């Protein structure tokens, strides 16, 4: 029997873990059950919340473990159990509820100051974070909103950056990053980034010291709001 302070974490890529969010959960006394979805079976049982992390894959890829994650998302929302999807996780929530996932106009990689919040009178998920907000982006796909979902954030090039569908919150951008994680992702993606003329990894590295604290403060605020919204 799981303790209801246990949180299930589905990790979809080796280098995309909880990062700074893990520290916040730990400080609050949550225990995390981390499952590498590509290789491990999704456990059954009751968890107080589920977090679905990012990966280079697309929600449209014909992969059994991604389909299993979408089934899980639908089941959890039916039971009103909180789900947080980050990056690929947000795309899986959208697709799980029938919305289309497709390539965005441009890849967004790096520190951006472009996130505008929506519907703040209806949802407190981003309450207390300045709009436009500073976040870290690393994605090329976007999605339409599922039916009856509430849009929570958008940017100039991506109309849907965050949304709420029942007990699920999908966030396309990364607030959980630390300086080490950003550097690691840039290092691991050198070849891919060299093919994208408008992304300058050196400039991203130069910007980290100036903005990482603000991104992490936004993470803390978001995390507190998410906990309050779902009584965690």
């Amino acid at each position: 029997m799981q303790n209801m302070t246990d949180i299930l974490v589905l990790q979809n890529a080796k280098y995309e873990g909880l990062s700074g969010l893990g520290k916040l959960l730990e400080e609050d006394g949550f225990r995390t059950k981390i499952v590498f979805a590509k290789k491990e079976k999704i456990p059954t049982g009751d968890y107080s919340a589920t977090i679905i992390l990012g990966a280079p894959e697309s929600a449209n890829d014909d992969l059994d473990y991604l389909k299993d994650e979408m089934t899980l998302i639908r089941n959890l929302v039916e039971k009103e159990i909180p789900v947080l999807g980050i990056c690929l996780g947000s795309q899986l929530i959208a697709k799980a509820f029938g919305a289309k996932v497709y390539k965005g106009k441009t890849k967004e990689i790096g520190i951006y100051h472009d996130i505008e919040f929506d519907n703040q009178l209806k949802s407190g998920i981003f309450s207390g974070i300045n709009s436009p907000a500073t976040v870290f982006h690393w994605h090329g796909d976007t999605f339409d909103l599922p039916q009856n979902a509430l849009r929570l954030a958008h940017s100039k090039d991506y109309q849907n950056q965050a949304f709420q569908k029942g007990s699920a919150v999908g966030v396309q951008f990364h607030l959980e990053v630390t300086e080490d994680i950003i550097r690691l992702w840039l290092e691991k993606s050198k070849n891919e980034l060299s093919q994208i003329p408008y992304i300058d990894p050196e400039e991203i590295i130069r910007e980290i010291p100036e903005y990482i604290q603000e991104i992490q403060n936004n993470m803390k605020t978001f995390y507190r709001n998410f906990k309050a919204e779902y009584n965690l």
Side-chain angles (χ1 to χ4, degrees):
M1 177 68 191
Q2 269 78 32
N3 181 321
M4 287 310 278
T5 57
D6 288 1
I7 291 186
L8 177 62
V9 179
L10 300 183
Q11 187 165 339
N12 288 304
K14 189 177 177 184
Y15 300 110
E16 292 201 43
L18 283 170
S19 211
L21 176 53
K23 189 165 171 278
L24 295 174
L25 290 166
E26 201 179 304
E27 284 168 359
D28 273 350
F30 288 106
R31 293 187 314 186
T32 50
K33 165 78 174 166
I34 298 173
V35 173
F36 285 92
K38 280 181 194 178
K39 303 210 165 110
E40 299 178 278
K41 205 167 155 40
I42 296 173
T44 54
D46 293 325
Y47 291 86
S48 52
T50 293
I51 299 170
I52 301 173
L53 298 171
E57 280 76 19
S58 164
N60 295 322
D61 289 346
D62 189 16
L63 297 164
D64 286 343
Y65 70 95
L66 294 182
K67 290 175 192 163
D68 291 345
E69 289 181 41
M70 288 189 273
T71 302
L72 177 71
I73 290 163
R74 286 189 291 268
N75 292 342
L76 292 171
V77 170
E78 201 173 303
K79 294 182 194 164
E80 298 183 356
I81 294 168
V83 183
L84 171 60
I86 297 172
C87 200
L88 171 63
S90 68
Q91 296 155 17
L92 289 169
I93 295 171
K95 195 172 166 71
F97 291 106
K100 260 176 36 190
V101 175
Y102 48 94
K103 287 264 171 286
K105 268 193 279 196
T106 173
K107 280 198 171 181
E108 290 189 314
I109 296 174
I111 295 168
Y112 286 67
H113 315 279
D114 65 343
I115 293 292
E116 306 264 4
F117 297 122
D118 305 292
N119 292 308
Q120 289 199 284
L121 293 175
K122 293 183 183 167
S123 170
I125 290 286
F126 291 106
S127 177
I129 301 178
N130 287 343
S131 182
T134 297
V135 303
F136 187 77
H137 281 310
W138 195 305
H139 59 92
D141 279 0
T142 187
F143 45 79
D144 293 335
L145 288 187
Q147 210 173 349
N148 301 325
L150 186 67
R151 185 172 81 165
L152 299 180
H154 69 277
S155 64
K156 184 170 64 72
D157 290 323
Y158 280 74
Q159 276 309 293
N160 299 313
Q161 288 275 12
F163 68 96
Q164 199 165 3
K165 165 78 178 170
S167 61
V169 173
V171 181
Q172 174 84 299
F173 43 90
H174 295 273
L175 290 173
E176 80 282 7
V177 289
T178 59
E179 173 163 0
D180 290 350
I181 279 295
I182 296 175
R183 286 174 175 273
L184 178 67
W185 290 355
L186 292 170
E187 180 61 36
K188 296 285 173 196
S189 308
K190 265 189 179 151
N191 293 344
E192 178 201 338
L193 297 177
S194 66
Q195 314 294 311
I196 310 174
Y198 53 86
I199 304 287
D200 178 1
E202 291 306 315
E203 189 191 341
I204 296 169
I205 286 169
R206 278 196 302 277
E207 286 183 335
I208 296 173
E210 192 177 343
Y211 296 114
I212 192 67
Q213 195 58 58
E214 192 178 343
I215 294 169
Q216 290 176 342
N217 289 342
N218 289 344
M219 175 76 241
K220 281 182 191 152
T221 305
F222 169 82
Y223 168 72
R224 279 200 305 270
N225 292 342
F226 186 84
K227 276 198 315 175
E229 181 89 1
Y230 295 116
N231 298 315
L232 285 171

